[in-house]
PDB file of all heavy atoms in Angstrom:
ATOM      1  N   THR M 296       3.703 -25.982  12.114  1.00 88.00           N
ATOM      2  CA  THR M 296       2.778 -27.164  11.825  1.00 88.00           C
ATOM      3  C   THR M 296       1.629 -26.969  12.789  1.00 88.00           C
ATOM      4  O   THR M 296       1.745 -26.956  13.999  1.00 88.00           O
ATOM      5  CB  THR M 296       3.504 -28.430  12.107  1.00 88.00           C
ATOM      6  OG1 THR M 296       4.624 -28.615  11.244  1.00 88.00           O
ATOM      7  CG2 THR M 296       2.509 -29.539  11.859  1.00 88.00           C
ATOM      8  N   LEU M 297       0.445 -26.825  12.225  1.00 85.00           N
ATOM      9  CA  LEU M 297      -0.842 -26.648  12.905  1.00 85.00           C
ATOM     10  C   LEU M 297      -1.803 -27.693  12.503  1.00 85.00           C
ATOM     11  O   LEU M 297      -1.850 -28.107  11.267  1.00 85.00           O
ATOM     12  CB  LEU M 297      -1.413 -25.244  12.824  1.00 85.00           C
ATOM     13  CG  LEU M 297      -0.629 -24.095  13.234  1.00 85.00           C
ATOM     14  CD1 LEU M 297      -1.346 -22.801  12.969  1.00 85.00           C
ATOM     15  CD2 LEU M 297      -0.349 -24.247  14.745  1.00 85.00           C
ATOM     16  N   ARG M 298      -2.665 -28.200  13.400  1.00 80.00           N
ATOM     17  CA  ARG M 298      -3.672 -29.179  13.005  1.00 80.00           C
ATOM     18  C   ARG M 298      -4.841 -28.545  12.335  1.00 80.00           C
ATOM     19  O   ARG M 298      -5.313 -27.473  12.809  1.00 80.00           O
ATOM     20  CB  ARG M 298      -4.091 -29.902  14.327  1.00 80.00           C
ATOM     21  CG  ARG M 298      -5.062 -31.023  14.064  1.00 80.00           C
ATOM     22  CD  ARG M 298      -5.161 -32.083  15.180  1.00 80.00           C
ATOM     23  NE  ARG M 298      -3.875 -32.762  15.251  1.00 80.00           N
ATOM     24  CZ  ARG M 298      -3.476 -33.756  14.491  1.00 80.00           C
ATOM     25  NH1 ARG M 298      -4.272 -34.193  13.549  1.00 80.00           N
ATOM     26  NH2 ARG M 298      -2.325 -34.406  14.664  1.00 80.00           N
ATOM     27  N   HIS M 299      -5.335 -29.220  11.320  1.00 71.00           N
ATOM     28  CA  HIS M 299      -6.513 -28.775  10.572  1.00 71.00           C
ATOM     29  C   HIS M 299      -7.393 -29.923  10.354  1.00 71.00           C
ATOM     30  O   HIS M 299      -7.168 -30.785   9.537  1.00 71.00           O
ATOM     31  CB  HIS M 299      -6.110 -28.070   9.236  1.00 71.00           C
ATOM     32  CG  HIS M 299      -7.255 -27.677   8.333  1.00 71.00           C
ATOM     33  ND1 HIS M 299      -8.224 -26.971   8.769  1.00 71.00           N
ATOM     34  CD2 HIS M 299      -7.479 -28.071   7.045  1.00 71.00           C
ATOM     35  CE1 HIS M 299      -9.129 -26.771   7.845  1.00 71.00           C
ATOM     36  NE2 HIS M 299      -8.670 -27.518   6.731  1.00 71.00           N
ATOM     37  N   GLY M 300      -8.478 -30.094  11.207  1.00 71.00           N
ATOM     38  CA  GLY M 300      -9.364 -31.210  11.156  1.00 71.00           C
ATOM     39  C   GLY M 300      -8.571 -32.463  11.467  1.00 71.00           C
ATOM     40  O   GLY M 300      -7.863 -32.522  12.471  1.00 71.00           O
ATOM     41  N   GLY M 301      -8.610 -33.529  10.540  1.00 76.00           N
ATOM     42  CA  GLY M 301      -7.855 -34.765  10.788  1.00 76.00           C
ATOM     43  C   GLY M 301      -6.476 -34.718  10.319  1.00 76.00           C
ATOM     44  O   GLY M 301      -5.814 -35.818  10.331  1.00 76.00           O
ATOM     45  N   SER M 302      -5.989 -33.633   9.778  1.00 78.00           N
ATOM     46  CA  SER M 302      -4.629 -33.561   9.233  1.00 78.00           C
ATOM     47  C   SER M 302      -3.918 -32.372   9.823  1.00 78.00           C
ATOM     48  O   SER M 302      -4.387 -31.674  10.720  1.00 78.00           O
ATOM     49  CB  SER M 302      -4.712 -33.409   7.639  1.00 78.00           C
ATOM     50  OG  SER M 302      -5.407 -32.197   7.331  1.00 78.00           O
ATOM     51  N   VAL M 303      -2.671 -32.209   9.388  1.00 86.00           N
ATOM     52  CA  VAL M 303      -1.908 -31.076   9.871  1.00 86.00           C
ATOM     53  C   VAL M 303      -1.489 -30.240   8.633  1.00 86.00           C
ATOM     54  O   VAL M 303      -1.343 -30.783   7.568  1.00 86.00           O
ATOM     55  CB  VAL M 303      -0.616 -31.533  10.617  1.00 86.00           C
ATOM     56  CG1 VAL M 303      -0.950 -32.213  11.909  1.00 86.00           C
ATOM     57  CG2 VAL M 303       0.332 -32.390   9.797  1.00 86.00           C
ATOM     58  N   LEU M 304      -1.263 -28.981   8.918  1.00 89.00           N
ATOM     59  CA  LEU M 304      -0.923 -28.024   7.845  1.00 89.00           C
ATOM     60  C   LEU M 304       0.360 -27.442   8.161  1.00 89.00           C
ATOM     61  O   LEU M 304       0.647 -26.905   9.196  1.00 89.00           O
ATOM     62  CB  LEU M 304      -2.004 -26.954   7.711  1.00 89.00           C
ATOM     63  CG  LEU M 304      -1.831 -25.995   6.531  1.00 89.00           C
ATOM     64  CD1 LEU M 304      -2.053 -26.702   5.234  1.00 89.00           C
ATOM     65  CD2 LEU M 304      -2.820 -24.845   6.665  1.00 89.00           C
ATOM     66  N   HIS M 305       1.374 -27.516   7.241  1.00 91.00           N
ATOM     67  CA  HIS M 305       2.708 -26.912   7.319  1.00 91.00           C
ATOM     68  C   HIS M 305       2.783 -25.633   6.556  1.00 91.00           C
ATOM     69  O   HIS M 305       2.338 -25.522   5.427  1.00 91.00           O
ATOM     70  CB  HIS M 305       3.734 -27.990   6.734  1.00 91.00           C
ATOM     71  CG  HIS M 305       3.646 -29.361   7.283  1.00 91.00           C
ATOM     72  ND1 HIS M 305       3.901 -29.683   8.590  1.00 91.00           N
ATOM     73  CD2 HIS M 305       3.244 -30.502   6.642  1.00 91.00           C
ATOM     74  CE1 HIS M 305       3.707 -30.977   8.750  1.00 91.00           C
ATOM     75  NE2 HIS M 305       3.282 -31.517   7.575  1.00 91.00           N
ATOM     76  N   THR M 306       3.346 -24.632   7.181  1.00 88.00           N
ATOM     77  CA  THR M 306       3.640 -23.335   6.499  1.00 88.00           C
ATOM     78  C   THR M 306       5.129 -22.919   6.856  1.00 88.00           C
ATOM     79  O   THR M 306       5.564 -23.318   7.889  1.00 88.00           O
ATOM     80  CB  THR M 306       2.624 -22.291   6.896  1.00 88.00           C
ATOM     81  OG1 THR M 306       2.680 -22.080   8.347  1.00 88.00           O
ATOM     82  CG2 THR M 306       1.229 -22.574   6.542  1.00 88.00           C
ATOM     83  N   LEU M 307       5.680 -22.077   6.027  1.00 87.00           N
ATOM     84  CA  LEU M 307       7.035 -21.586   6.297  1.00 87.00           C
ATOM     85  C   LEU M 307       6.999 -20.502   7.304  1.00 87.00           C
ATOM     86  O   LEU M 307       6.144 -19.735   7.472  1.00 87.00           O
ATOM     87  CB  LEU M 307       7.566 -20.994   4.952  1.00 87.00           C
ATOM     88  CG  LEU M 307       7.759 -21.934   3.758  1.00 87.00           C
ATOM     89  CD1 LEU M 307       8.125 -21.104   2.521  1.00 87.00           C
ATOM     90  CD2 LEU M 307       8.834 -22.995   4.062  1.00 87.00           C
ATOM     91  N   THR M 308       8.085 -20.491   8.123  1.00 83.00           N
ATOM     92  CA  THR M 308       8.390 -19.421   9.054  1.00 83.00           C
ATOM     93  C   THR M 308       9.166 -18.345   8.292  1.00 83.00           C
ATOM     94  O   THR M 308       9.696 -18.614   7.234  1.00 83.00           O
ATOM     95  CB  THR M 308       9.212 -19.954  10.280  1.00 83.00           C
ATOM     96  OG1 THR M 308      10.454 -20.325   9.826  1.00 83.00           O
ATOM     97  CG2 THR M 308       8.512 -21.082  11.001  1.00 83.00           C
ATOM     98  N   PRO M 309       9.384 -17.218   8.902  1.00 77.00           N
ATOM     99  CA  PRO M 309      10.301 -16.182   8.235  1.00 77.00           C
ATOM    100  C   PRO M 309      11.695 -16.744   7.940  1.00 77.00           C
ATOM    101  O   PRO M 309      12.292 -16.467   6.915  1.00 77.00           O
ATOM    102  CB  PRO M 309      10.315 -15.049   9.232  1.00 77.00           C
ATOM    103  CG  PRO M 309       9.040 -15.133   9.999  1.00 77.00           C
ATOM    104  CD  PRO M 309       8.785 -16.561  10.068  1.00 77.00           C
ATOM    105  N   LEU M 310      12.209 -17.560   8.856  1.00 79.00           N
ATOM    106  CA  LEU M 310      13.525 -18.113   8.678  1.00 79.00           C
ATOM    107  C   LEU M 310      13.509 -19.109   7.470  1.00 79.00           C
ATOM    108  O   LEU M 310      14.443 -19.095   6.672  1.00 79.00           O
ATOM    109  CB  LEU M 310      14.008 -18.883   9.970  1.00 79.00           C
ATOM    110  CG  LEU M 310      15.396 -19.537   9.850  1.00 79.00           C
ATOM    111  CD1 LEU M 310      16.449 -18.500   9.658  1.00 79.00           C
ATOM    112  CD2 LEU M 310      15.619 -20.256  11.202  1.00 79.00           C
ATOM    113  N   GLY M 311      12.486 -19.916   7.409  1.00 83.00           N
ATOM    114  CA  GLY M 311      12.364 -20.844   6.231  1.00 83.00           C
ATOM    115  C   GLY M 311      12.279 -20.086   4.938  1.00 83.00           C
ATOM    116  O   GLY M 311      12.909 -20.522   3.974  1.00 83.00           O
ATOM    117  N   GLY M 312      11.442 -19.051   4.912  1.00 79.00           N
ATOM    118  CA  GLY M 312      11.319 -18.348   3.682  1.00 79.00           C
ATOM    119  C   GLY M 312      12.614 -17.650   3.328  1.00 79.00           C
ATOM    120  O   GLY M 312      12.990 -17.568   2.137  1.00 79.00           O
ATOM    121  N   SER M 313      13.264 -17.022   4.322  1.00 73.00           N
ATOM    122  CA  SER M 313      14.558 -16.470   4.123  1.00 73.00           C
ATOM    123  C   SER M 313      15.578 -17.438   3.521  1.00 73.00           C
ATOM    124  O   SER M 313      16.386 -17.119   2.573  1.00 73.00           O
ATOM    125  CB  SER M 313      15.108 -15.784   5.377  1.00 73.00           C
ATOM    126  OG  SER M 313      16.283 -15.082   5.162  1.00 73.00           O
ATOM    127  N   LEU M 314      15.634 -18.631   4.062  1.00 77.00           N
ATOM    128  CA  LEU M 314      16.601 -19.648   3.643  1.00 77.00           C
ATOM    129  C   LEU M 314      16.362 -19.952   2.117  1.00 77.00           C
ATOM    130  O   LEU M 314      17.221 -20.101   1.332  1.00 77.00           O
ATOM    131  CB  LEU M 314      16.413 -20.920   4.498  1.00 77.00           C
ATOM    132  CG  LEU M 314      17.541 -21.968   4.263  1.00 77.00           C
ATOM    133  CD1 LEU M 314      18.877 -21.449   4.624  1.00 77.00           C
ATOM    134  CD2 LEU M 314      17.213 -23.173   5.085  1.00 77.00           C
ATOM    135  N   LEU M 315      15.005 -20.109   1.767  1.00 74.00           N
ATOM    136  CA  LEU M 315      14.682 -20.383   0.331  1.00 74.00           C
ATOM    137  C   LEU M 315      15.083 -19.275  -0.546  1.00 74.00           C
ATOM    138  O   LEU M 315      15.441 -19.514  -1.733  1.00 74.00           O
ATOM    139  CB  LEU M 315      13.220 -20.751   0.268  1.00 74.00           C
ATOM    140  CG  LEU M 315      12.694 -22.016   0.768  1.00 74.00           C
ATOM    141  CD1 LEU M 315      11.260 -22.158   0.597  1.00 74.00           C
ATOM    142  CD2 LEU M 315      13.403 -23.173  -0.027  1.00 74.00           C
ATOM    143  N   ARG M 316      15.061 -18.018  -0.068  1.00 65.00           N
ATOM    144  CA  ARG M 316      15.391 -16.844  -0.894  1.00 65.00           C
ATOM    145  C   ARG M 316      16.858 -16.555  -0.890  1.00 65.00           C
ATOM    146  O   ARG M 316      17.377 -15.559  -1.354  1.00 65.00           O
ATOM    147  CB  ARG M 316      14.629 -15.657  -0.325  1.00 65.00           C
ATOM    148  CG  ARG M 316      13.152 -15.666  -0.521  1.00 65.00           C
ATOM    149  CD  ARG M 316      12.543 -14.310  -0.272  1.00 65.00           C
ATOM    150  NE  ARG M 316      12.818 -13.846   1.058  1.00 65.00           N
ATOM    151  CZ  ARG M 316      11.980 -14.077   2.092  1.00 65.00           C
ATOM    152  NH1 ARG M 316      10.882 -14.822   1.945  1.00 65.00           N
ATOM    153  NH2 ARG M 316      12.281 -13.599   3.379  1.00 65.00           N
ATOM    154  N   GLY M 317      17.638 -17.478  -0.229  1.00 58.00           N
ATOM    155  CA  GLY M 317      19.086 -17.243  -0.198  1.00 58.00           C
ATOM    156  C   GLY M 317      19.513 -16.285   0.778  1.00 58.00           C
ATOM    157  O   GLY M 317      20.505 -15.647   0.701  1.00 58.00           O
ATOM    158  N   GLY M 318      18.759 -16.115   1.975  1.00 49.00           N
ATOM    159  CA  GLY M 318      19.110 -15.293   3.012  1.00 49.00           C
ATOM    160  C   GLY M 318      18.740 -13.861   2.840  1.00 49.00           C
ATOM    161  O   GLY M 318      19.255 -12.944   3.424  1.00 49.00           O
ATOM    162  N   ALA M 319      17.671 -13.598   2.006  1.00 42.00           N
ATOM    163  CA  ALA M 319      17.187 -12.285   1.806  1.00 42.00           C
ATOM    164  C   ALA M 319      16.699 -11.667   3.055  1.00 42.00           C
ATOM    165  O   ALA M 319      16.075 -12.465   3.877  1.00 42.00           O
ATOM    166  CB  ALA M 319      16.118 -12.192   0.812  1.00 42.00           C
ATOM    167  N   PRO M 320      16.828 -10.445   3.498  1.00 39.00           N
ATOM    168  CA  PRO M 320      16.403  -9.885   4.680  1.00 39.00           C
ATOM    169  C   PRO M 320      14.920  -9.879   4.798  1.00 39.00           C
ATOM    170  O   PRO M 320      14.194  -9.804   3.768  1.00 39.00           O
ATOM    171  CB  PRO M 320      16.898  -8.395   4.668  1.00 39.00           C
ATOM    172  CG  PRO M 320      17.174  -8.173   3.193  1.00 39.00           C
ATOM    173  CD  PRO M 320      17.582  -9.430   2.623  1.00 39.00           C
ATOM    174  N   LEU M 321      14.364 -10.069   5.979  1.00 40.00           N
ATOM    175  CA  LEU M 321      12.964 -10.110   6.231  1.00 40.00           C
ATOM    176  C   LEU M 321      12.394  -8.698   6.449  1.00 40.00           C
ATOM    177  O   LEU M 321      12.918  -7.866   7.165  1.00 40.00           O
ATOM    178  CB  LEU M 321      12.671 -10.932   7.514  1.00 40.00           C
ATOM    179  CG  LEU M 321      13.090 -12.433   7.388  1.00 40.00           C
ATOM    180  CD1 LEU M 321      12.954 -12.983   8.764  1.00 40.00           C
ATOM    181  CD2 LEU M 321      12.066 -13.116   6.457  1.00 40.00           C
ATOM    182  N   ALA M 322      11.259  -8.381   5.715  1.00 39.00           N
ATOM    183  CA  ALA M 322      10.601  -7.065   5.898  1.00 39.00           C
ATOM    184  C   ALA M 322       9.796  -7.141   7.211  1.00 39.00           C
ATOM    185  O   ALA M 322       9.249  -8.165   7.582  1.00 39.00           O
ATOM    186  CB  ALA M 322       9.685  -6.790   4.808  1.00 39.00           C
TER     187      ALA M 322
END
Side-chain angles (χ1 to χ4, degrees):
T296 300
L297 296 178
R298 183 159 293 282
H299 173 54
S302 59
V303 294
L304 186 66
H305 309 291
T306 58
L307 297 174
T308 66
L310 179 61
S313 180
L314 188 64
L315 285 177
R316 293 191 300 269
L321 295 167

